[in-house]
Amino acid sequence: MQQDAPLWTPSQTILATSPMARFMAAVAGRHGLVFDGPDAFHAWTIAHPDLFWTAAWDDCGVIGDRTGPALVDGDRMLDARFFPEARLNFAENLLAHAGKGPGDRPAILFRGEDKVRSALSWDDLTALVSRLQQAFAAMGIGEGDRIAAMMPNMPETVALMLAAASRGIIWSSCSPDFGEQGVLDRFGQIGPKLFITCDGYWYNGKLQDVSAKVAAVAGKLGVPVLVVPYAGDAATLAAVLPDGRTLPDFIAPFIAAPVTYAALAFGHPLYILFSSGTTGVPKCIVHSAGGTLLQHLKEHRYHCGIEPGERLFYFTTCGWMMWNWLVSGLAVGATLCLFDGSPFYPGGEVLFDYAAEERFAVFGTSAKYIDAVRKAGIVPKDTHDLSALRLMTSTGSPLSPEGFSFVYEGIKPDVHLASISGGTDIVSCFVLGNPLKPVWRGEIQGPGLGLAVDVWNDEGQPVRGEKGELVCTRPFPSMPLMFWNDPDKAKYRAAYFERFDNIWCHGDFAEWTAHGGLIIHGRSDATLNPGGVRIGTAEIYNQVEQMPEVAEALCIGQDWDDDVRVVLFVRLAPGVSLTPDLDKAIRTRIRTGASPRHVPAKIIAVTDIPRTKSGKIVELAVREVVHGRPVKNKEALANPEALGLFENLPELQS
């Protein structure tokens, strides 16, 4: 991509005084080195992981006992362990700034559409965490137990997570718009000791009732339920559950005291996140406390340049790893700005209203949101005071070149725009912004510090100037500890290490640019990504194929209008036609059983679906045909002629 000039160039002040610049200078001084720029520094961080991650620990002020080696078995990615003898507590590090200034400083600000505004000071937050950890202890929930939460992105959710982490309890969450089966497919695998839910939530101006879903999920999980008041009647909902109680009742017996922190291994499990469920129920990805903390501190402090007291916002739900990323901002002293609801209710300006009112320093969102603002004709630079905004980040799907241009033309001309990409798999980013490098239209600035990111072709050779697989060739702290219920790591190995031996293969098509940046061209696997939200085909199949009218289904993501839209192909039962009523019934089933995000843009009837000789449907092959690309390994198919049914379909041209 030929470009005459970058969209943004760091100022001399940023080049000299940003946290990334100061850290680079400190490392150079510590080891008697000279770095001729950020790329040279990055090369050093991947060549000397033990020195780099130790320096990051010290510079970020991690609270813990760092004894023993920084890395063992670093030549074997599946077996590598960072700081195996160190001990720390994740919650203690996130609450460390509570004692570094007046306690009435805001730790969390919250907006729930146009219905609710609230805030928690650092003192309020620590007091709530103290009472919650005491309540968990009284229930007998402790180290290694799991808590599952179906919650909005609200302050109480953050406090509940911190209270769990303070005791070594493993936290797992999803958003309340998931259907009953979607919730059970996740939490049913991990055996939680407690299920936490809200009493309702707002979306697009409408109150969403969750009572029937909560009762059904609670009955099947068979555990106590904690109901957090938000948009409904918590007391009434708790009263009809076999072992339900409200949050106020839960903490009523306890008085705030200094928070206590269990000293846990660096590799102690912190979170269970879930894959998108492409080939079955979602995989349960277990992330460590130390790895998550250190990776997030690095990204927030250096790549985002966040200083204590700055306002950090990300538009996310509790079912996306960006929520986990966002809340770690407390560890650098940021004030978290939370939002729950539709970003376009009552109008498309609501998030920019919030940004102007609370003076966001960092505004994180999805590529689809930026495109939607552009298409809606909203020009925030003309209507909102965004003088405090210095960084805008975009993820979820690749940000189009037009999206890059719009940020500078329509939002703020002198903002640092960072397109970022990583995922649930690493609860962080492989490639992201760098405040010491220019921003070029359509390009991610580069890999994260300490991450040996590369692009390989099918033969396992590094390539430049052509598309290939995004890989990471050396271990890093936020690699998953394991998958839950995967004792021999077979699922873990299959997910990332079967393509290339001892090399993490992420499943993205990527390309290096002439500027040393990267372009992500989309997923190279069957994951769907409409509107920047990763979802899995299996979750759609679980709903559709229970309908008697549908014999079989296949789902793909079609590149469309700078995004990805979900296309569902159905092979119907004999004598059944895809009438408007059946189309509506399929959509309703998916919406209620999975989530609104799973509803396809197109539903198309076909007479056959291609499958392998072992009977597996071949989503990737169909996706290639739909996009006019050649299909590899047709010899593996039992019915390769079926691929012709998906060529040049008129329904997919509009």
Side-chain angles (χ1 to χ4, degrees):
M1 182 184 298
Q2 292 295 111
Q3 300 180 50
D4 294 330
L7 295 170
W8 177 86
T9 303
S11 67
Q12 290 302 311
T13 299
I14 291 173
L15 291 173
T17 66
S18 66
M20 175 80 89
R22 298 200 303 266
F23 180 51
M24 187 167 70
V27 169
R30 182 173 183 170
H31 297 287
L33 303 169
V34 175
F35 299 118
D36 63 5
D39 290 340
F41 182 46
H42 175 265
W44 180 86
T45 68
I46 61 176
H48 303 280
D50 53 342
L51 299 179
F52 165 67
W53 291 108
T54 298
W57 178 306
D58 291 341
D59 189 70
C60 291
V62 172
I63 301 170
D65 179 15
R66 196 191 71 224
T67 58
L71 174 62
V72 298
D73 294 328
D75 59 336
R76 302 196 304 272
M77 288 195 76
L78 268 169
D79 301 317
R81 290 177 295 152
F82 285 85
F83 302 104
E85 299 175 26
R87 303 190 77 79
L88 54 76
N89 187 278
F90 183 81
E92 183 175 15
N93 280 275
L94 266 64
L95 291 173
H97 284 263
K100 296 181 180 179
D104 60 356
R105 293 168 299 131
I108 303 176
L109 305 173
F110 175 59
R111 300 286 188 275
E113 283 202 353
D114 64 337
K115 310 292 184 182
V116 174
R117 291 184 174 212
S118 66
L120 281 182
S121 69
W122 285 97
D123 282 352
D124 294 335
L125 179 59
T126 53
L128 181 54
V129 170
S130 170
R131 297 176 73 190
L132 286 166
Q133 71 169 192
Q134 294 176 66
F136 290 154
M139 284 191 72
I141 305 176
E143 185 174 327
D145 290 332
R146 279 77 62 205
I147 286 178
M150 187 185 76
M151 285 289 291
N153 179 20
M154 57 192 295
E156 290 84 352
T157 313
V158 179
L160 285 156
M161 181 279 291
L162 290 170
S166 72
R167 291 181 48 78
I169 301 165
I170 305 170
W171 176 266
S172 192
S173 63
C174 72
S175 56
D177 63 344
F178 274 83
E180 174 190 337
Q181 194 58 49
V183 177
L184 290 170
D185 282 349
R186 288 159 173 78
F187 298 154
Q189 298 186 70
I190 64 174
K193 289 287 188 70
L194 178 67
F195 176 49
I196 302 173
T197 181
C198 59
D199 55 6
Y201 65 97
W202 286 284
Y203 194 83
N204 206 28
K206 298 178 181 178
L207 177 62
Q208 308 294 322
D209 181 25
V210 298
S211 55
K213 178 167 59 181
V214 168
V217 170
K220 291 178 181 176
L221 290 178
V223 297
V225 183
L226 179 61
V227 183
V228 178
Y230 177 41
D233 186 337
T236 297
L237 176 55
V240 301
L241 300 171
D243 192 0
R245 67 194 82 178
T246 66
L247 178 63
D249 290 342
F250 186 59
I251 61 175
F254 308 102
I255 298 173
V259 180
T260 60
Y261 301 104
L264 303 164
F266 184 91
H268 183 80
L270 170 70
Y271 293 134
I272 297 177
L273 278 63
F274 299 94
S275 72
S276 51
T278 299
T279 56
V281 295
K283 298 179 182 68
C284 310
I285 304 173
V286 185
H287 286 291
S288 72
T292 302
L293 175 68
L294 206 53
Q295 178 79 337
H296 287 180
L297 279 169
K298 178 205 72 177
E299 293 184 352
H300 289 145
R301 184 75 182 130
Y302 307 130
H303 289 276
C304 295
I306 299 173
E307 301 278 14
E310 286 193 313
R311 305 287 170 91
L312 168 63
F313 169 80
Y314 222 105
F315 179 69
T316 182
T317 72
C318 296
W320 190 21
M321 54 79 42
M322 292 311 301
W323 180 84
N324 308 80
W325 188 93
L326 170 64
V327 298
S328 290
L330 292 171
V332 294
T335 295
L336 306 185
C337 298
L338 310 183
F339 180 87
D340 193 78
S342 168
F344 284 92
Y345 182 84
E349 301 84 6
V350 292
L351 295 187
F352 291 102
D353 293 344
Y354 191 10
E357 182 180 355
E358 298 298 348
R359 297 187 61 78
F360 292 176
V362 181
F363 187 128
T365 187
S366 67
K368 184 61 177 175
Y369 173 77
I370 292 172
D371 190 53
V373 170
R374 177 177 67 87
K375 289 179 178 177
I378 299 168
V379 185
K381 75 178 180 65
D382 295 339
T383 55
H384 291 75
D385 177 6
L386 301 177
S387 55
L389 182 64
R390 57 172 185 78
L391 174 66
M392 191 162 192
T393 63
S394 169
T395 192
S397 60
L399 182 62
S400 67
E402 293 77 12
F404 273 79
S405 296
F406 172 72
V407 167
Y408 288 95
E409 295 166 0
I411 297 177
K412 191 176 184 184
D414 60 345
V415 74
H416 176 196
L417 172 61
S419 180
I420 67 179
S421 182
T424 299
D425 320 79
I426 64 170
V427 73
S428 58
C429 305
F430 273 127
V431 291
L432 68 170
N434 189 315
L436 306 185
K437 301 179 70 172
V439 174
W440 295 89
R441 187 174 185 261
E443 299 182 20
I444 298 174
Q445 288 177 282
L449 295 178
L451 295 175
V453 172
D454 208 348
V455 178
W456 284 14
N457 62 19
D458 289 344
E459 288 70 48
Q461 299 298 318
V463 291
R464 293 292 184 273
E466 64 179 81
K467 298 176 186 178
E469 290 283 351
L470 184 75
V471 300
C472 190
T473 62
R474 300 185 185 182
F476 51 95
S478 65
M479 291 173 61
L481 282 174
M482 58 182 175
F483 288 179
W484 200 257
N485 299 323
D486 183 33
D488 59 357
K489 290 193 173 182
K491 293 179 182 177
Y492 185 5
R493 185 177 293 104
Y496 311 113
F497 297 104
E498 282 193 345
R499 181 74 182 275
F500 305 114
D501 182 46
N502 201 35
I503 298 294
W504 179 291
C505 185
H506 195 54
D508 277 341
F509 276 126
E511 180 182 359
W512 288 107
T513 73
H515 307 115
L518 290 106
I519 298 172
I520 303 293
H521 292 284
R523 296 296 295 171
S524 60
D525 60 17
T527 302
L528 304 174
N529 214 19
V533 179
R534 293 185 67 195
I535 63 176
T537 53
E539 295 182 284
I540 295 175
Y541 302 151
N542 288 344
Q543 301 304 318
V544 177
E545 293 183 353
Q546 295 179 45
M547 301 179 68
E549 299 91 342
V550 179
E552 194 175 23
L554 183 146
C555 202
I556 65 163
Q558 182 195 13
D559 297 337
W560 187 260
D561 196 21
D562 292 329
D563 193 21
V564 174
R565 64 181 181 183
V566 178
V567 178
L568 176 66
F569 298 100
V570 289
R571 182 172 64 83
L572 300 172
V576 176
S577 299
L578 185 59
T579 63
D581 285 345
L582 179 55
D583 183 284
K584 181 179 179 180
I586 292 172
R587 294 176 187 277
T588 300
R589 179 62 180 257
I590 294 170
R591 180 182 299 275
T592 57
S595 84
R597 296 185 180 93
H598 292 73
V599 178
K602 298 279 187 176
I603 301 176
I604 300 171
V606 291
T607 56
D608 197 10
I609 286 176
R611 59 187 59 80
T612 65
K613 292 180 171 65
S614 60
K616 294 182 180 179
I617 61 173
V618 286
E619 297 156 317
L620 293 179
V622 170
R623 193 179 72 179
E624 297 302 279
V625 170
V626 164
H627 289 97
R629 297 190 289 256
V631 175
K632 301 176 183 178
N633 300 320
K634 286 186 179 180
E635 64 275 8
L637 301 182
N639 55 338
E641 68 281 358
L643 290 173
L645 300 171
F646 301 85
E647 293 178 349
N648 303 316
L649 291 173
E651 298 96 327
L652 296 182
Q653 308 308 310
S654 63

